[in-house]
Amino acid sequence: MKKYCLMAWQMFMIIVLVDSQNPNGFINVDCGLSGYESPYTELMTRLTYTTDADLVESRESGRIDKIFETMYPRPYWTVRSFPKPERNCYKINTERETKYLIRATFLYGNYDGRNTVPSFDLYLGPNLWTMVEANSTTMEVIHHTASQSSLQICLVNTGSGTPFINVLELRPLNLDAYTTPSGSLKMLFRWYLGNPDGGMIRYPSDVYDRYWYPPSQQKHLIPITTTLNVDTKNDYNPPETVMATAATPRDANASWTVEWIVEPPNTQCYPYVYFSELQTLGANETREFTMFLAGADFHSPISPGPLITTTIFDRLPTQCDGKCVLELTKTSTSTLPPVLSAIEVYTVMDFPLVETNEDDVTGIKDVQGTYELNKLNWQGDPCTPRQFLWEGLKCDHSDNSTRPTIITLDLSSSGLTGVIAEAIRNLAHLQHLDLSNNSLSGGVPEFLADMSSLLVINLSSNNLSGSVPQTLAQKKRMKLNVEGNPLLICTTGTSCVNKQGKDGDRIKNVVIAVVVASLALLIITALLILFLYRHKRRPSVVEGPRSNMQELDDLPLPIGIYSEISL
Ligand SMILES: *[C@@H]1O[C@H](CO)[C@@H](O)[C@H](O)[C@H]1NC(C)=O
Ligand SMILES: *[C@@H]1O[C@H](CO)[C@@H](O)[C@H](O)[C@H]1NC(C)=O
Ligand SMILES: *[C@@H]1O[C@H](CO)[C@@H](O)[C@H](O)[C@H]1NC(C)=O
Ligand SMILES: *[C@@H]1O[C@H](CO)[C@@H](O)[C@H](O)[C@H]1NC(C)=O
Ligand SMILES: *[C@@H]1O[C@H](CO)[C@@H](O)[C@H](O)[C@H]1NC(C)=O
Ligand SMILES: *[C@@H]1O[C@H](CO)[C@@H](O)[C@H](O)[C@H]1NC(C)=O
Ligand SMILES: *[C@@H]1O[C@H](CO)[C@@H](O)[C@H](O)[C@H]1NC(C)=O
């Protein structure tokens, strides 16, 4: 009795744990969910879903028509929509160098009462992922390795209605599975065979929460099932329910083909084919078959092991000119037809554009936060793609072996208040900083002088005070404009309009002219004094010139300005 109690208690503990905690790294976002309904536990999976309120700017949300609610699980019910601006992005925190299954789900469900299904583009970071046309439930799945500590998923209005999204899910995958030398893998389909009425299989049966569907057309197939345990442990870990069923062709001698279409025709694809021998073979029985993909041998011959999972795939993708054919044929010595439990097919997506330098992104986000800048298009990646460049920025894309960097920040006439943001110093590649025509107060910070790439700083027409730091005023390659700051004191040796543009050149010329003039004056004075001494102290001719030299040396020459003349 005691033992049973303990077991029951342990069971309870396990259920509580499953209830309150998603599997490691699972991210479940119910888009458009209101804050007070978040989080909740989805009944079928016991996974916890949370609102997207902190992940996007848009506050617009909706709910699908009541008639659909009974047909779909709860995460589908609410919708986040994006009437403006053109691009809206989700920022999801990820683990670096982790491969994720990313699933975005769209179900229009007449959420806006207009009965018009929009279409729009979906981006993964700076790259186009796919076009979404969400007449019925649309699910986009991609296996993508996160290179940075966050990932942007963006919806882009293409003029065919308001973009929207219902669910966003991320699941970490095994790094050794679904490998490709380049690009990411977009799912085309994922089927399991032998149980046409089995319905969709997902988490918790599938540890990665992949969705496995039975294809509706299985009339030409004979199902095979087992009640025994099937070992599913390999890099791909398919669900046991998927591997406990299989199918063989009705016509045992004919070739069995699985076909799919790829668009465009030169698309490269990766099939993953799952087998297990579920029948107990007699001593006189054998099952062996060949497998051909696009006319080429695909790891033949195959003889699935009893109740263990074999996953067949290639290390390199296959290109099949529009229509891909996978052909399974019994070998001449085999007594039994081919068998197949499941198949997944992915296509290779090349994502050539890289995200902006991560430190620059952090820096510009900090600046945005400091000034509470409400710039609608400041979403997604700041620099790429170029058509969505953030307003007020210019970026350097010239070296395609490195990430783009931010080189211009123009926040002139942006109603900025407070002090010059410390966060600016994190923009290490900045060449041009324009904060003119705002209401900035406080001092001109010293750190601007340490930013080695800065060439132009425009702080004109603000309410800055204190004095311009010497280090900044004396920077040689930097143009500084601090005009129109009535409270700003310009110390000796520095100028409030130091070295800027045409004005700067003019001022520099004036400075040089003044220095030359005063030098001339000095020399003339010295000569005059020398002359006078010679005349006054004729007797002490020997001492005279020495003391005159002394006097000349003692004159306070503006050393700093001399260095400027030498330029
Ligand atoms: C979705 O709509 C497009 C055109 O708006 C149409 O071509 C396509 O057949 C529709 N798909 C479904 C499943 O209704
Ligand atoms: C398959 O071929 C073998 C001989 O190659 C024949 O004996 C058998 O009847 C054939 N089976 C079917 C179902 O056609
Ligand atoms: C295999 O042997 C069994 C009897 O042990 C027999 O009933 C069956 O027909 C044989 N099958 C083949 C393909 O020869
Ligand atoms: C980088 O740029 C060079 C020259 O502009 C070009 O030849 C090369 O293909 C580019 N590389 C990539 C990966 O875009
Ligand atoms: C300065 O900003 C104000 C509004 O903040 C604007 O009306 C004005 O045109 C700007 N002046 C210049 C020179 O940009
Ligand atoms: C600095 O800003 C002012 C006002 O926005 C502008 O008139 C001026 O041309 C700018 N100077 C430089 C060097 O960018
Ligand atoms: C400028 O700053 C001073 C304090 O440093 C403040 O008294 C004054 O009102 C400010 N002027 C404007 C136009 O904001």
Side-chain angles (χ1 to χ4, degrees):
M1 185 60 200
K2 218 172 178 181
K3 197 173 168 188
Y4 282 116
C5 275
L6 196 65
M7 265 178 66
W9 185 77
Q10 278 171 341
M11 290 272 287
F12 173 76
M13 278 295 285
I14 289 164
I15 288 167
V16 166
L17 273 176
V18 167
D19 229 17
S20 60
Q21 202 177 329
N22 284 329
N24 219 357
F26 272 40
I27 296 168
N28 305 317
V29 183
D30 182 341
C31 307
L33 184 72
S34 67
Y36 62 86
E37 287 178 288
S38 173
Y40 65 86
T41 302
E42 200 277 316
L43 293 176
M44 302 297 286
T45 56
R46 316 287 312 160
L47 292 174
T48 301
Y49 283 76
T50 48
T51 174
D52 62 347
D54 302 335
L55 305 174
V56 277
E57 298 290 323
S58 174
R59 298 291 113 215
E60 299 285 325
S61 62
R63 204 177 172 104
I64 59 169
D65 198 310
K66 277 267 184 297
I67 58 165
F68 297 111
E69 282 189 6
T70 51
M71 297 156 61
Y72 293 98
R74 180 166 175 193
Y76 291 44
W77 295 357
T78 55
V79 168
R80 178 73 66 193
S81 65
F82 305 93
K84 62 176 190 286
E86 196 179 357
R87 176 174 70 163
N88 290 271
C89 296
Y90 279 85
K91 185 177 174 222
I92 312 270
N93 290 331
T94 50
E95 294 288 329
R96 266 174 213 269
E97 301 311 322
T98 297
K99 186 183 295 183
Y100 284 95
L101 179 159
I102 306 171
R103 182 167 47 228
T105 306
F106 308 88
L107 172 64
Y108 172 62
N110 198 22
Y111 80 89
D112 57 0
R114 293 185 190 178
N115 246 317
T116 314
V117 182
S119 74
F120 46 90
D121 283 343
L122 189 62
Y123 279 71
L124 190 55
N127 293 286
L128 180 65
W129 170 0
T130 189
M131 192 190 104
V132 178
E133 214 181 323
N135 321 31
S136 55
T137 332
T138 302
M139 225 173 268
E140 295 295 342
V141 177
I142 198 161
H143 294 178
H144 178 77
T145 303
S147 57
Q148 306 199 25
S149 59
S150 70
L151 189 74
Q152 308 261 3
I153 295 169
C154 307
L155 294 90
V156 173
N157 192 324
T158 52
S160 308
T162 302
F164 71 90
I165 184 167
N166 304 56
V167 196
L168 199 50
E169 296 163 313
L170 275 79
R171 282 84 181 84
L173 291 169
N174 179 357
L175 260 184
D176 298 327
Y178 305 108
T179 58
T180 170
S182 72
S184 299
L185 298 183
K186 181 176 187 287
M187 196 191 73
L188 207 56
F189 63 91
R190 190 188 293 118
W191 288 345
Y192 72 99
L193 301 173
N195 188 7
D197 305 318
M200 190 253 274
I201 294 172
R202 63 174 291 196
Y203 184 85
S205 298
D206 188 315
V207 288
Y208 303 123
D209 195 24
R210 289 163 295 192
Y211 289 5
W212 302 80
Y213 290 95
S216 51
Q217 264 302 326
Q218 298 194 38
K219 284 202 183 71
H220 59 297
L221 301 177
I222 301 170
I224 304 173
T225 59
T226 184
T227 52
L228 300 172
N229 290 339
V230 183
D231 183 358
T232 59
K233 290 278 167 299
N234 69 18
D235 282 344
Y236 294 85
N237 287 317
E240 200 176 346
T241 38
V242 164
M243 294 311 298
T245 68
T248 63
R250 273 192 195 283
D251 183 353
N253 287 342
S255 284
W256 175 17
T257 60
V258 181
E259 297 176 4
W260 62 92
I261 305 291
V262 289
E263 192 63 56
N266 65 351
T267 301
Q268 300 200 297
C269 58
Y270 280 100
Y272 298 86
V273 194
Y274 296 81
F275 310 96
S276 177
E277 181 56 76
L278 303 182
Q279 286 177 329
T280 313
L281 301 190
N284 56 356
E285 286 179 313
T286 55
R287 191 193 306 276
E288 190 186 63
F289 51 93
T290 60
M291 193 157 59
F292 278 73
L293 175 63
D297 186 23
F298 193 59
H299 303 271
S300 301
I302 292 146
S303 199
L307 303 175
I308 57 163
T309 300
T310 305
T311 306
I312 304 273
F313 58 93
D314 258 340
R315 291 269 166 218
L316 294 173
T318 299
Q319 187 176 316
C320 20
D321 296 323
K323 183 173 165 186
C324 284
V325 181
L326 182 75
E327 190 176 10
L328 295 84
T329 315
K330 157 172 118 60
T331 61
S332 55
T333 55
S334 177
T335 63
L336 295 169
V339 69
L340 183 58
S341 286
I343 178 168
E344 300 178 85
V345 175
Y346 294 81
T347 60
V348 179
M349 296 283 307
D350 274 319
F351 286 152
L353 298 178
V354 293
E355 287 117 333
T356 305
N357 177 290
E358 201 167 12
D359 292 335
D360 281 11
V361 175
T362 309
I364 195 71
K365 289 255 166 82
D366 285 351
V367 172
Q368 182 181 21
T370 307
Y371 292 124
E372 292 172 354
L373 281 174
N374 195 13
K375 293 198 183 265
L376 269 181
N377 105 326
W378 280 33
Q379 291 192 45
D381 191 88
C383 300
T384 48
R386 290 176 207 218
Q387 78 254 37
F388 300 121
L389 176 71
W390 287 10
E391 186 191 312
L393 299 192
K394 282 195 187 117
C395 298
D396 181 4
H397 295 269
S398 59
D399 182 359
N400 61 12
S401 66
T402 63
R403 296 181 180 280
T405 53
I406 297 171
I407 54 168
T408 294
L409 174 59
D410 180 357
L411 291 177
S412 60
S413 311
S414 297
L416 306 186
T417 58
V419 299
I420 293 178
E422 180 87 11
I424 290 172
R425 76 185 315 164
N426 298 328
L427 297 170
H429 308 90
L430 208 59
Q431 295 173 8
H432 191 134
L433 174 64
D434 192 343
L435 300 175
S436 64
N437 197 26
N438 286 298
S439 305
L440 294 171
S441 53
V444 176
E446 193 109 32
F447 72 75
L448 291 174
D450 302 332
M451 295 178 65
S452 55
S453 55
L454 263 181
L455 301 174
V456 179
I457 305 177
N458 195 345
L459 304 176
S460 64
S461 305
N462 277 293
N463 191 20
L464 298 169
S465 53
S467 57
V468 176
Q470 290 271 352
T471 45
L472 189 61
Q474 289 174 358
K475 288 276 283 198
K476 295 223 175 73
R477 288 171 61 233
M478 190 190 279
K479 290 172 184 170
L480 173 67
N481 184 349
V482 289
E483 280 174 331
N485 287 284
L487 303 177
L488 199 63
I489 301 158
C490 303
T491 50
T492 46
T494 70
S495 166
C496 273
V497 281
N498 183 22
K499 312 174 223 164
Q500 45 97 14
K502 281 175 192 154
D503 278 357
D505 287 346
R506 186 172 55 77
I507 283 152
K508 195 166 167 180
N509 290 343
V510 169
V511 169
I512 291 170
V514 167
V515 169
V516 169
S518 31
L519 261 182
L521 200 68
L522 269 174
I523 291 164
I524 289 167
T525 314
L527 287 174
L528 205 67
I529 290 169
L530 198 72
F531 182 77
L532 282 178
Y533 264 86
R534 275 198 178 169
H535 280 266
K536 264 194 178 170
R537 300 195 182 180
R538 250 188 194 232
S540 51
V541 166
V542 181
E543 276 180 10
R546 282 182 88 190
S547 67
N548 284 337
M549 288 297 283
Q550 195 66 51
E551 254 183 74
L552 201 61
D553 282 347
D554 284 348
L555 283 174
L557 296 177
I559 301 298
I561 293 177
Y562 271 106
S563 70
E564 186 137 357
I565 291 172
S566 71
L567 282 174

